[in-house]
């Protein structure tokens, strides 16, 4: 780094400046924007933790420093020294009266200006777009979502176990697998879900969860689908569908509350009306698939009994409630091979989807797992899955099989809902979608 003159005090971060009023500090950052007014230059400096207005008065700094400041390009890397002053009008609550400025790097004109840009352009500039206020706020919310997740499960006695990314078999159907050659072992796949491995880990540790990337070769271009997304998957031994739903509602309430507390500035930056989020609290309404079907019928949403829900059906159902709604017991035919049947109605699976309010749709899929060996063997055959690849999984039903269940929550869908953004692609730093692998 450019060596700073001895007169520069140790660096401070913008987020900590309110506790340093009256002190002289050094800020290390980038020029977000600048306004000139006679003998004053107003520099908006960002340092990753916030944005601070830094005011240069021509009479306060050497003439060459004022000239240097006037010629700065957007995103020039700069270090400023100045005194922190309280300023009630500023979002950060402070501003800096600048005494000195060092230019660390000055580049050509920055490609992303203050004018509006289309999503395609911004996505191809994603490596730079991340520096904008709104995108940085979303990144911080996502970070707190992940902290909230670990905080909840760690607090309830779960052990975090990491699931593999290379897998020998499918978990969520064979139509959206990313396939690759694995040395002499033949075909392998990128994981669609860590669930099957968490089932094994739950039999070892009782309550476990994994948090990591998962992959689906989805040929869909919706605002809810990525080809690479992050999922948290808890799995619990000695647990039935009701237990899964109890955990899911406590968990979602905790995540929402935690993030609301951690991110007031971010929600303000995103202009998110948080009043609806503040009302989120367990218990959540629980309705059966049949009850959801009746809502769709009443609302004239095209739908036939037996079908899975798509985005229009989810949106229609979840917009009926101001809490997340848990839709349970879908027809087994449209759900994954591992689900346990409902003993009260063999057509149905003991599963649950949690739909977020405000039209955000499914954020959780889960349920109780089939625990009977013969039934699972039949399901594997029916779904034309290679039995050899599942022998280890079947072992879990051979040795000490117990009722168990769990769920998966998508990090990007949850972050989008909390941030109130349109598309999941902004809820991850580098989204992977059907037509996008760059940058
Ligand atoms: O409903 P899904 O497919 O369930 C499972 O994968 C189970 N094995 C989870 C479990 O029981 N352990 O996916 C779970 C969640 C969805 O509700 C959604 O939030 C997210 O993962 N998700 C996606 N998010 C973004 N893009 C996609 N293509 C997604 N597919 C699923
Ligand atoms: Mg699902």
């Amino acid at each position: 780094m450019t060596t700073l003159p001895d007169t520069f005090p140790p660096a401070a971060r913008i987020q900590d400046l309110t506790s340093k009023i009256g002190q002289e500090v050094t800020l290390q950052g980038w020029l977000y924007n600048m306004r000139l007014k006679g003998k004053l230059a107003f520099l908006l400096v960002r340092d990753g933790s916030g944005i601070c207005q830094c005011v240069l008065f021509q009479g306060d700094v050497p003439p060459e420093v004022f000239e240097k400041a006037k010629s700065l390009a957007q995103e020039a890397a700069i270090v400023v020294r100045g005194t922190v002053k309280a300023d009630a009008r500023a979002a950060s609550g402070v501003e800096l009266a600048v005494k000195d400025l060092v230019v660390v790097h000055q580049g050509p004109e920055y490609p992303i200006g203050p004018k509006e840009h289309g999503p395609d352009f911004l996505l191809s500039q994603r490596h730079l777009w991340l520096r904008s206020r709104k995108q940085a706020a979303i990144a911080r919310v996502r970070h707190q979502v992940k902290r909230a997740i670990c905080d909840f499960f760690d607090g309830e006695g779960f052990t975090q176990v990491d699931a593999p990314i290379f897998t020998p078999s499918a978990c969520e159907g064979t139509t959206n697998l990313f396939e690759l050659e694995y040395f002499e072992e033949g075909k392998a796949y990128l994981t669609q879900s860590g669930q099957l491995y968490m089932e094994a880990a739950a039999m070892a540790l009782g309550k476990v969860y994994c948090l990591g990337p998962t992959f689906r070769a989805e040929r869909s271009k919706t605002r809810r689908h990525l080809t690479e997304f992050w999922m948290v998957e808890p799995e619990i031994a000695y647990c039935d569908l009701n237990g899964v739903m109890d955990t899911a509602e406590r968990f979602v309430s905790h995540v929402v509350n935690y993030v609301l507390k951690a991110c007031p500035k971010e929600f303000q930056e995103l202009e998110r009306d948080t009043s609806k989020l503040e009302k989120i609290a367990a218990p959540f309404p629980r309705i059966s698939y049949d009850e959801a079907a009746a809502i769709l019928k009443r609302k004239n949403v095209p739908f036939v009994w037996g079908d899975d829900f798509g985005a229009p059906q989810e949106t229609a159902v979840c917009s009926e409630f101001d809490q997340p709604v848990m839709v349970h017991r879908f027809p087994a035919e449209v759900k994954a091979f591992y689900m346990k049947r409902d003993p009260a109605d063999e057509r149905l699976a003991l599963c649950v989807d949690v739909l977020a309010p405000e039209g955000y749709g499914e954020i959780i899929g889960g349920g109780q797992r089939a625990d009977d060996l013969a039934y699972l063997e039949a399901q594997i055959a029916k779904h034309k899955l290679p039995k050899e690849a599942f022998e280890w999984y079947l072992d879990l039903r051979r040795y000490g099989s117990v009722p168990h269940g769990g769920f998966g929550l998508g990090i990007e869908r949850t972050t989008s809902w909390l941030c109130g953004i349109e598309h999941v692609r902004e809820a991850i730093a580098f989204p992977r979608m059907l037509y996008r692998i760059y940058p």
Side-chain angles (χ1 to χ4, degrees):
M1 209 195 92
T2 321
T3 39
L4 295 172
D6 294 342
T7 49
F8 278 63
R13 294 199 90 200
I14 291 171
Q15 66 181 13
D16 302 325
L17 290 187
T18 43
S19 65
K20 297 187 190 305
I21 289 166
Q23 294 179 28
E24 193 168 295
V25 298
T26 297
L27 294 184
Q28 310 181 120
W30 295 264
L31 182 69
Y32 196 73
N33 210 340
M34 176 165 51
R35 196 162 49 86
L36 295 169
K37 199 176 164 205
K39 293 184 170 167
L40 289 166
F42 299 95
L43 313 186
L44 283 184
V45 176
R46 60 166 198 90
D47 74 346
S49 78
I51 295 191
C52 179
Q53 170 155 282
C54 299
V55 185
L56 261 87
F57 176 59
Q58 201 167 4
D60 280 354
V61 292
E64 67 281 4
V65 169
F66 197 74
E67 286 311 305
K68 227 174 6 190
K70 285 203 314 196
S71 66
L72 288 173
Q74 189 187 337
E75 285 303 317
I78 53 175
V79 178
V80 291
R81 172 169 74 85
T83 309
V84 183
K85 299 202 159 155
D87 180 3
R89 290 159 306 171
S92 61
V94 291
E95 66 171 31
L96 200 76
V98 178
K99 300 204 177 131
D100 203 354
L101 177 149
V102 173
V103 181
V104 177
H105 181 255
Q106 161 100 292
E109 194 189 338
Y110 193 62
I112 305 179
K115 65 173 192 299
E116 286 279 311
H117 295 283
D120 253 356
F121 172 79
L122 288 171
L123 283 166
S124 64
Q125 301 289 329
R126 185 64 176 164
H127 50 297
L128 301 177
W129 188 23
L130 290 177
R131 302 183 189 189
S132 80
R133 292 175 189 229
K134 187 177 162 195
Q135 297 306 315
I138 297 169
R140 284 192 286 261
V141 171
R142 178 188 170 105
H143 169 66
Q144 296 297 340
V145 166
K146 286 166 71 192
R147 288 188 68 184
I149 288 168
C150 295
D151 186 62
F152 176 83
F153 289 117
D154 298 350
E156 293 221 351
F158 284 67
T159 302
Q160 190 178 141
V161 177
D162 300 316
I165 305 284
F166 291 135
T167 59
S169 54
C171 177
E172 296 297 323
T174 49
T175 56
N176 60 9
L177 282 170
F178 280 111
E179 194 177 292
L180 54 107
E181 286 302 322
Y182 196 82
F183 305 110
E184 280 76 46
E185 298 296 307
K187 286 192 187 0
Y189 311 95
L190 296 183
T191 183
Q192 298 165 305
S193 158
Q195 178 198 318
L196 308 187
Y197 296 96
M198 289 307 104
E199 290 184 51
M203 298 307 141
L205 296 152
K207 299 204 264 183
V208 295
Y209 71 104
C210 61
L211 174 56
T214 46
F215 306 85
R216 310 257 172 113
E218 311 259 19
R219 292 212 153 261
S220 47
K221 268 183 74 180
T222 80
R223 60 193 187 86
R224 294 177 186 172
H225 287 92
L226 296 165
T227 55
E228 178 178 321
F229 63 97
W230 282 60
M231 184 156 54
V232 57
E233 296 183 89
E235 193 69 29
I236 311 166
Y238 288 102
C239 183
D240 62 8
L241 177 62
N242 281 329
V244 169
M245 292 198 276
D246 294 345
T247 306
E249 66 187 5
R250 275 202 316 283
F251 167 63
V252 172
S253 305
H254 179 84
V255 170
V256 174
N257 282 318
Y258 184 106
V259 178
L260 277 174
K261 273 207 201 84
C263 298
K265 282 193 197 145
E266 283 70 24
F267 288 122
Q268 204 179 353
E269 185 67 69
L270 294 164
E271 293 171 28
R272 173 68 160 129
D273 171 6
T274 53
S275 58
K276 293 198 169 110
L277 297 176
E278 277 149 24
K279 293 197 189 98
I280 304 294
F284 298 161
R286 299 179 184 195
I287 64 171
S288 66
Y289 173 86
D290 281 354
E291 286 164 326
I295 293 174
L296 295 174
K297 193 166 175 211
R298 168 162 59 75
K299 296 183 109 177
N300 281 322
V301 180
F303 174 71
V304 223
W305 196 100
D307 284 356
D308 203 355
F309 291 171
Q313 289 78 23
E314 284 174 19
T315 306
V317 173
C318 69
S319 56
E320 290 282 292
F321 302 88
D322 50 17
Q323 293 291 334
V325 54
M326 306 207 270
V327 185
H328 54 82
R329 296 180 170 81
F330 282 68
E333 291 294 325
V334 296
K335 290 292 179 187
F337 77 96
Y338 52 71
M339 297 209 175
K340 188 174 174 72
R341 299 268 173 160
D342 182 1
D345 183 346
E346 286 288 329
R347 295 171 309 159
L348 306 177
L350 291 177
C351 64
V352 61
D353 277 7
V354 181
L355 311 180
E358 300 179 70
Y360 278 90
E362 183 195 333
I363 51 167
I364 281 183
Q368 192 175 336
R369 322 304 188 188
D371 44 26
D372 177 72
L373 179 62
Y375 175 73
L376 252 189
E377 283 174 332
Q379 281 292 95
I380 286 169
K382 187 174 160 196
H383 287 254
K384 300 197 169 57
L385 295 167
K387 189 167 175 230
E388 331 73 71
F390 287 90
E391 283 302 335
W392 69 270
Y393 185 64
L394 293 167
D395 269 354
L396 307 176
R397 281 72 182 167
R398 291 188 182 106
Y399 307 105
S401 185
V402 300
H404 65 286
F407 59 83
L409 168 124
I411 306 299
E412 292 76 18
R413 289 196 192 171
T414 305
T415 304
S416 306
W417 165 43
L418 297 183
C419 290
I421 54 179
E422 264 293 295
H423 201 297
V424 289
R425 67 190 169 204
E426 288 181 43
I428 184 163
F430 296 98
R432 296 293 170 243
M433 294 176 287
L434 183 51
Y435 294 115
R436 183 164 293 279
I437 187 106
Y438 176 91

